[in-house]
């Protein structure tokens, strides 16, 4: 199958599952930033009793999780599949939960959740960002603009987290010369600051892959490169990061 045929094949298969109301394409392929080896990111938007067994019954090779198996919250499960030789991710999206997060975001309300592979974790408005940037393949979904109320509340929350991360690093890791811990904390604080920058601009974020570049924080690479297990060196790195964060 060529890409267009493949896309239609998977979209039709997912849309046919019981309780599914819409199917989207996300990730780099939805934003035309993909390369030849990029995977395919789909989401199924369901209402009511979606059963992962129905996805398994489609007969595609791979691993299909139960609902809630990815920790619950924003990411409540999904599948890693191989279809026609292509790597495919499928995310579960409960429409009732998505609509709740959308209503909350429009009021400037959200919460933070930890998530594997995301240094800074994710905000509960991430599913709202997906509605805004992903490509709807089947069904109908809202296409929200960035709420002004969220532009008011989100930057302060993210910058506050970054400030606390740096403060803890100065007291807990720097005096002990713990370069690994400092490196991890600085990377986390950089991601938190980048979230703040993008929120203030009213730009949606769905993952961290290009977050530092979009926020103008790639200079963190230079700061982290010079780390070593020396309290003086580590203290300067924290100072340099703090100075950088103030400029964006």
């Amino acid at each position: 199958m060529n890409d267009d045929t493949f896309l239609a094949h998977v979209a039709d298969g997912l849309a046919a599952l019981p309780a599914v109301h819409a199917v989207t394409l996300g990730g780099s392929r939805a934003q035309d930033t993909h390369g030849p080896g990029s995977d395919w990111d789909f989401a199924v938007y369901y209402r009511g009793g979606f059963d992962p067994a129905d996805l398994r019954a489609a007969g595609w090779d791979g691993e299909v999780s139960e609902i809630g198996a990815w920790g619950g919250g924003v990411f409540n499960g999904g599948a890693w599949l191989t279809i026609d030789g292509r790597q495919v991710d499928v995310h579960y999206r409960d429409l009732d939960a998505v609509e709740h997060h959308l209503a909350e975001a429009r009021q400037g309300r959200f919460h933070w959740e930890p998530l594997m592979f995301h240094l800074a974790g994710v905000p509960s408005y991430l599913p709202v960002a997906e509605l805004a940037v992903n490509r709807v393949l089947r069904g109908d979904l809202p296409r929200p603009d960035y709420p002004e109320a969220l532009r008011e509340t989100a930057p302060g929350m993210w910058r506050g987290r970054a400030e606390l991360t740096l403060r803890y690093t100065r007291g807990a890791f720097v005096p002990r010369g713990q370069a690994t811990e400092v490196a991890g904390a600085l990377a986390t604080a950089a991601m938190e600051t980048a979230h703040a920058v993008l929120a203030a601009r009213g730009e949606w974020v769905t993952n961290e892959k290009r977050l530092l570049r979009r926020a103008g924080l790639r200079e963190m690479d230079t700061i982290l490169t010079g780390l070593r297990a020396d309290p003086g060196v580590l203290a300067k790195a924290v100072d340099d990061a703090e100075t950088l964060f103030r400029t964006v």
Side-chain angles (χ1 to χ4, degrees):
M1 289 186 281
N2 63 32
D3 284 353
D4 290 339
T5 304
F6 172 78
L7 191 63
H9 169 70
V10 177
D12 286 341
L14 294 174
L17 299 176
V20 171
H21 287 243
V23 177
T24 64
L25 177 70
S28 61
R29 292 188 180 275
Q31 300 176 48
D32 292 324
T33 59
H34 61 282
S38 297
D39 60 5
W40 296 73
D41 296 297
F42 294 88
V44 290
Y45 288 78
Y46 63 88
R47 198 182 300 277
F50 176 74
D51 189 345
D54 294 321
L55 179 53
R56 293 190 191 96
W60 291 321
D61 291 335
E63 178 183 341
V64 177
S65 82
E66 296 301 322
I67 293 177
W70 291 1
V74 168
F75 276 77
N76 68 335
W80 296 293
L81 306 171
T82 301
I83 304 174
D84 192 47
R86 296 168 169 90
Q87 298 303 305
V88 172
D89 293 345
V90 178
H91 294 161
Y92 305 154
R93 291 288 179 263
D94 184 330
L95 269 171
D96 290 337
V98 171
E99 289 167 355
H100 170 74
H101 294 315
L102 174 57
E104 288 288 283
R106 284 173 170 163
Q107 298 300 314
R109 296 190 295 263
F110 66 98
H111 64 269
W112 171 90
E113 295 181 4
L115 183 66
M116 286 186 69
F117 318 124
H118 290 70
L119 293 175
V122 295
S124 58
Y125 56 79
L126 185 146
V128 185
E130 292 176 337
L131 291 176
V133 304
N134 289 358
R135 178 180 166 191
V136 179
L137 303 175
R138 300 291 184 272
D140 293 303
L141 293 169
R143 306 289 283 177
D145 293 327
Y146 204 103
E148 283 300 317
L150 198 61
R151 292 184 68 173
E152 294 294 324
T153 58
M157 186 283 275
W158 285 112
R159 285 199 182 269
R161 292 187 69 88
E163 290 168 6
L164 289 174
T165 300
L166 292 183
R167 186 185 307 173
Y168 185 83
T169 302
R170 287 186 190 278
F173 302 141
V174 168
R176 296 178 173 87
Q178 294 175 310
T180 298
E181 289 87 339
V182 171
L186 291 181
T188 299
M191 291 295 184
E192 292 165 339
T193 302
H195 271 287
V197 171
L198 273 294
R201 293 179 190 164
E203 296 181 19
W204 293 113
V205 173
T206 57
N207 59 57
E208 294 180 340
K209 293 177 182 177
R210 296 176 177 84
L211 187 53
L212 293 186
R213 178 183 59 77
R214 291 175 63 192
L217 286 168
R218 281 263 58 109
E219 190 180 331
M220 282 301 301
D221 294 338
T222 301
I223 294 172
L224 293 174
T225 298
L227 295 184
R228 64 177 186 270
D230 178 315
V233 171
L234 299 179
K236 183 179 185 305
V238 175
D239 289 343
D240 290 346
E242 191 171 52
T243 298
L244 175 62
F245 296 165
R246 291 198 192 103
T247 67
V248 294

